[in-house]
């Protein structure tokens, strides 16, 4: 199953294709500025039962050097199957579109990044016929952005940096910088970055840190993430009130009932249970449908 960080690592290029211009400079690949970009179908399946899809595929128009295809692959761990699939993607796309192809791999850990950066060869050891050299971005070469002004200068690059440094010991400082940088940004611009970072952190401990920052620093936003966080806060408060009310009425709070209350994330359902506490004669009446 595709993970949330996997989606965030390549989807940021779909949302902000101009990001690649700044990233290429970071990675030491100096290309002309992007004039425009166009998303292409990621389905590389031919008339055969084997389905092949890339994560993100963009046609990039440059200022002066002509167009090329950018394949963005999010890689969460080593996958021996990529030894065959990545060269296939490159050769298939070059044959289909007759354009140069650049393969960019985004990673979140050093071991995977080192593995992904190895040239992939097809042919004899003494004479490779085809060599595929992925361009890799990860914690080994992405900048650690903890300066608010630098983050505001390029929010897309700062977002990708936060995602690739999800396991960095300094991730708290990185996320705090992003929350401050987004604080004065119009909500329509900031909201996709808030969601991409949340998605990119997955279920790491840093994800809760980001949720806390969104709840405090970006509490005025109405993005799906901030609304979810506010719902969680309301649910926690009502759960505490319900437990106190049960204690006042003298209802025994069993482990089962306590778990039912504390794991409920629906503020309206908790409110409904709370309204029944003072008229119910048994606990069953409170929690019955």
């Amino acid at each position: 199953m595709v993970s949330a960080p996997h989606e965030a690592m390549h989807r940021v290029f779909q949302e902000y294709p101009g990001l690649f211009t700044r990233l290429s400079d970071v990675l030491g690949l100096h290309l002309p500025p992007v004039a425009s970009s166009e998303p292409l179908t990621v389905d590389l399946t031919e008339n055969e039962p084997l389905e092949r899809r890339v994560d993100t595929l963009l046609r990039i128009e440059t200022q002066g050097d002509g167009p090329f295809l950018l394949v963005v692959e999010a890689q969460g761990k080593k996958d021996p199957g990529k030894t065959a699939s990545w060269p296939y993607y490159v050769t298939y796309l070059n044959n289909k579109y007759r354009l140069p192809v650049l393969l960019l791999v985004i990673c979140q850990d050093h071991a995977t990044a080192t593995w992904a950066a190895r040239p992939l060869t097809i042919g004899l050891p003494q004479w490779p016929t085809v060599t595929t050299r992925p361009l890799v971005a990860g914690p080994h070469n992405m900048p650690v952005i903890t300066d608010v002004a630098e983050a505001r200068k390029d929010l897309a690059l700062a977002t990708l940096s936060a995602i690739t440094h999800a396991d960095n010991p300094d991730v708290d400082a990185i996320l705090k910088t992003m929350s401050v940088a987004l604080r004065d940004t119009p909500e329509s611009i900031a909201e996709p970055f808030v969601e991409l970072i949340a998605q990119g952190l997955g279920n790491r401990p840093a994800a809760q840190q980001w949720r806390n920052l969104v709840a405090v620093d970006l509490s005025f936003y109405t993005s799906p993430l901030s609304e979810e966080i506010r719902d969680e806060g309301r649910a926690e408060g009502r759960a505490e009130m319900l437990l106190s009310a049960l204690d006042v009425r003298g209802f025994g709070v069993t482990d089962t009932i306590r778990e039912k209350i504390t794991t409920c994330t629906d503020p309206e359902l908790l409110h409904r249970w709370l309204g029944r506490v003072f008229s119910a004669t048994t606990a069953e009446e409170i929690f019955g449908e």
Side-chain angles (χ1 to χ4, degrees), residues 266-289:
D266 184 349
E268 297 307 316
L269 179 56
L270 287 163
H271 181 71
R272 190 156 63 246
W273 289 342
L274 184 60
R276 297 173 181 172
V277 169
F278 297 99
S279 60
T281 57
T282 66
E284 287 72 19
E285 292 180 28
I286 299 171
F287 301 104
E289 293 301 326

Side-chain angles (χ1 to χ4, degrees), residues 12-156:
V12 65
F13 290 91
Q14 297 178 16
E15 302 287 342
Y16 309 98
L19 165 63
F20 180 68
T21 297
R22 283 92 72 187
L23 181 62
S24 62
D25 290 337
V26 169
L27 301 181
L29 182 67
H30 302 297
L31 298 173
V34 172
S36 63
S37 67
E38 174 190 358
L40 303 176
T41 177
V42 299
D43 191 346
L44 308 187
T45 307
E46 298 183 90
N47 293 326
E48 55 182 80
L50 181 60
E51 182 180 290
R52 295 184 175 96
R53 291 179 183 272
V54 296
D55 290 331
T56 287
L57 176 61
L58 300 172
R59 176 190 168 110
I60 302 291
E61 295 285 347
T62 65
Q63 297 178 11
D65 279 9
F68 68 93
L69 300 181
L70 175 64
V71 180
V72 184
E73 285 279 282
Q75 198 63 34
K77 60 182 180 180
K78 299 177 184 178
D79 180 359
K82 298 299 183 181
T83 302
S85 59
W86 282 347
Y88 170 83
Y89 296 163
V90 171
T91 53
Y92 172 85
L93 289 168
N94 177 258
N95 184 63
K96 178 178 180 180
Y97 292 97
R98 301 297 180 182
L99 290 174
V101 182
L102 181 62
L103 171 62
L104 172 64
V105 182
I106 312 295
C107 304
Q108 288 180 295
D109 68 271
H110 290 272
T112 303
T114 300
W115 165 83
R118 296 178 304 171
L120 304 174
T121 60
I122 298 175
L124 301 177
Q126 62 270 39
W127 192 270
T129 303
V130 176
T131 300
T132 302
R133 295 179 57 212
L135 183 66
V136 179
H140 64 295
N141 58 6
M142 287 296 293
V144 176
I145 299 178
T146 55
D147 180 78
V148 174
E150 185 180 356
R152 283 178 175 153
K153 191 184 305 180
D154 195 333
L155 291 172

Side-chain angles (χ1 to χ4, degrees), residues 256-270:
T256 301
I257 290 176
R258 182 177 297 277
E259 182 180 4
K260 186 181 185 71
I261 294 172
T262 57
T263 57
C264 180
T265 58
D266 184 349
E268 297 307 316
L269 179 56
L270 287 163

Side-chain angles (χ1 to χ4, degrees), residues 163-179:
I163 292 171
T164 55
H165 287 290
D167 293 318
N168 190 306
D170 295 325
V171 69
D172 287 0
I174 297 171
L175 297 178
K176 180 61 179 176
T177 298
M178 281 302 299
S179 71

